[in-house]
Amino acid sequence: MRSHIRHAVVVAAAATTCTALAGGLLVSTSAQAATRGPAPTRYADDFNGDGYHDLAIGAPDGAVSVTGPDGAPAQAYNAGYVTVSYGSKNGAQKTGLKALTRNSPGVPGDATQGQRFGRTLANGDFNADGYADLAVASRGAGRDDVTLLWGGASGLKGGVALTGVEPGQGFGSVLKAGDFTGDGKADLVVGSSTALRLFRGPFKADGSPASVKAVDVGAGFVYTDAQKRLAVGRINKGAIDDLVVLGDERKRGRVLLGGASGLRKTEATVRGGNSAVIADFDKDGYGDIAVGDSAHQIDTERYAGRVMVTYGGSQGVDENRATKVFTEDSKGVPGGVEAGDSFGVDVAAGDLDRDGYTDLITGAPGERHATCEHCYISGGGLYVLKGAKKGVTGTGAAFYPYNAPGLPRPAGTYRIPQVLKVTDLNGDRQPEIAIPVRTGEPRVWSVGTKNGKVAGTAPTRVVEPPVDPGINPTTFEFGVLAR
């Protein structure tokens, strides 16, 4: 019998379920944790229990092969699928991926047009059997729902519909996993159009949670396409996961602290934006909150963007420390502010140079873009701002453009990155950065890091859509990540 996954102290979370390396120790953002068992480690994204992190990828616009009304083969467009790039000593699995759809054996329901299976993902050991599972959101005829795909020795296989409340419009627009009650079991926060609910684990074989409770954020927010606006992590030195929720339309965010009775609202707030991550950048034991605001205007430069770091404390935020604000004009940060750079479009965290301080990674898909109107060329890149004793600093910051040495050069026009996820798929304790790249042939790059440098001599593995007779692998949206 495998022992249940036990949650490690979380020091970084994105939107994500980004995984980070700090001080040589693996840490994570969404209940990813070590466990005792045959392998040296288990993680809440280790679907096949082999001791390596895995990378779940959604393609909600993928077409699925179905039988038409006349009995002839047909295509259900935008039915959607998910797949997993399994980690190994060689890193991300590049080819041979298998698609999971609503038509796959053991998966409830049937694939239908417009279902968008895989539009939102979250991973965790929801049934407490020692294998990571995957929560997958999809749409229906006025009845959106969430499916739990069960992990096992052969990876994800079969599943069940999440129960506990009557699904409705927007159900599953947000999925965030974590141990929000401190009982060592993975819970799931599910967003609908205007509400969040906490589904407490463990989940039974029929998809029912231990309990369901409404989450009082303390503000009226809309959660459509809000996955990057919520972050999971441990802020107040507790052994329980906490949650940061940014408001829609860049409204100030709220800090919710976990506890035995679930998530509770606090008086703490953070500046608004479109992405968030929790990480201990100054190594004081409190999780800090980084917010990306890519729509921020600087002087006349629209969508120049900024990143703001608010430092954590016992009540959620340290009121004695000012929020740090970084732009492309900040001291030490390469480049300069320009309209459309979208600095802060996504934020992630990881100790890339393994000095014990977690670094801040942020995307700028418009950096190095063409200055002429309606010029469609490749561009974008990512910034790394170092963590230090006094927190995030621009000193020693680095920028890696879309055409940096070591990165692939796909055909056609492309921009990076809109989405970032830090993980360690080859188990060498040196993180990789997963970046969905959308071109004529979409791919997910697993970009290696080495000695604090991105790409270069560190290999990048390119994950391709599955070649599977049950789907049409050509999909623009291949690259929805569990985060």
Side-chain angles (χ1 to χ4, degrees):
M1 172 90 49
R2 297 178 185 270
S3 59
H4 295 168
I5 292 178
R6 297 179 302 142
H7 303 292
V9 175
V10 177
V11 301
T16 87
T17 55
C18 301
T19 311
L21 289 171
L25 298 176
L26 193 64
V27 297
S28 88
T29 65
S30 65
Q32 295 177 354
T35 184
R36 296 190 183 99
T41 56
R42 301 286 183 207
Y43 305 106
D45 55 0
D46 181 8
F47 303 113
N48 58 1
D50 64 355
Y52 291 96
H53 293 275
D54 303 319
L55 185 65
I57 303 170
D61 66 337
V64 176
S65 300
V66 296
T67 300
D70 58 357
Q75 295 284 308
Y77 295 102
N78 298 310
Y81 65 87
V82 297
T83 188
V84 178
S85 173
Y86 290 95
S88 71
K89 66 180 181 179
N90 298 317
Q93 177 187 357
K94 297 191 298 182
T95 57
L97 282 68
K98 304 297 182 184
L100 282 166
T101 74
R102 296 296 283 266
N103 282 351
S104 297
V107 178
D110 297 298
T112 58
Q113 186 163 315
Q115 200 167 55
R116 294 186 58 77
F117 185 71
R119 68 188 181 103
T120 319
L121 308 175
N123 46 241
D125 183 13
F126 299 123
N127 60 0
D129 67 349
Y131 293 99
D133 312 306
L134 186 68
V136 183
S138 58
R139 289 181 175 166
R143 180 188 170 93
D144 300 349
D145 59 13
V146 173
T147 302
L148 300 179
L149 299 179
W150 302 126
S154 59
L156 292 180
K157 186 177 181 180
V160 64
L162 175 66
T163 63
V165 299
E166 185 70 18
Q169 186 175 8
F171 188 73
S173 58
V174 171
L175 296 174
K176 292 291 178 179
D179 179 10
F180 302 110
T181 60
D183 62 358
K185 306 297 191 297
D187 310 310
L188 184 65
V189 170
V190 180
S192 57
S193 299
T194 58
L196 297 177
R197 294 185 180 90
L198 174 62
F199 288 70
R200 185 168 182 169
F203 295 75
K204 297 179 181 179
D206 63 359
S208 60
S211 64
V212 182
K213 184 178 181 180
V215 177
D216 183 3
V217 176
F221 293 155
V222 176
Y223 298 104
T224 303
D225 298 323
Q227 186 74 348
K228 292 198 298 184
R229 290 197 276 113
L230 278 73
V232 179
R234 293 184 178 174
I235 296 173
N236 63 350
K237 289 189 176 180
I240 303 174
D241 286 328
D242 307 310
L243 186 70
V244 169
V245 182
L246 303 182
D248 53 298
E249 298 181 349
R250 301 163 64 206
K251 298 172 186 172
R252 289 190 70 88
R254 301 296 193 270
V255 178
L256 285 70
L257 298 180
S261 60
L263 291 162
R264 61 179 175 86
K265 64 180 179 180
T266 69
E267 296 299 319
T269 65
V270 294
R271 298 186 190 183
N274 55 270
S275 60
V277 66
I278 301 170
D280 185 4
F281 297 112
D282 55 4
K283 210 166 60 170
D284 66 351
Y286 293 106
D288 310 312
I289 305 162
V291 173
D293 179 13
S294 61
H296 179 67
Q297 180 171 326
I298 301 175
D299 297 327
T300 60
E301 308 296 331
R302 301 182 63 194
Y303 290 91
R306 63 180 176 177
V307 173
M308 301 157 288
V309 180
T310 301
Y311 291 94
S314 59
Q315 302 303 311
V317 167
D318 186 348
E319 299 291 351
N320 295 317
R321 299 179 67 179
T323 295
K324 281 189 176 180
V325 180
F326 296 91
T327 72
E328 291 175 305
D329 277 347
S330 294
K331 184 179 179 180
V333 177
V337 166
E338 290 183 295
D341 281 350
S342 295
F343 179 77
V345 70
D346 197 13
V347 286
D351 184 5
L352 303 191
D353 56 7
R354 301 184 64 179
D355 65 351
Y357 291 97
T358 303
D359 306 313
L360 176 63
I361 303 126
T362 184
E367 176 65 21
R368 301 197 179 183
H369 64 290
T371 56
C372 56
E373 188 177 2
H374 304 307
C375 282
Y376 298 98
I377 65 170
S378 299
L382 58 92
Y383 285 85
V384 177
L385 280 64
K386 293 176 65 63
K389 187 175 182 178
K390 293 185 178 181
V392 178
T393 176
T395 302
F399 175 70
Y400 299 92
Y402 71 101
N403 57 355
L407 291 180
R409 301 290 179 89
T413 299
Y414 63 100
R415 295 284 180 91
I416 67 167
Q418 296 283 351
V419 175
L420 296 164
K421 176 173 178 172
V422 180
T423 188
D424 177 20
L425 297 171
N426 61 4
D428 67 352
R429 297 185 176 273
Q430 183 68 61
E432 298 93 45
I433 305 172
I435 302 174
V437 181
R438 295 172 181 174
T439 66
E441 296 181 346
R443 301 287 187 265
V444 174
W445 296 352
S446 178
V447 181
T449 65
K450 186 176 182 180
N451 300 323
K453 307 287 187 184
V454 176
T457 60
T460 293
R461 295 176 71 84
V462 178
V463 181
E464 302 178 352
V467 178
D468 189 309
I471 64 166
N472 180 348
T474 302
T475 165
F476 178 76
E477 290 185 288
F478 178 76
V480 174
L481 304 180
R483 40 170 299 141

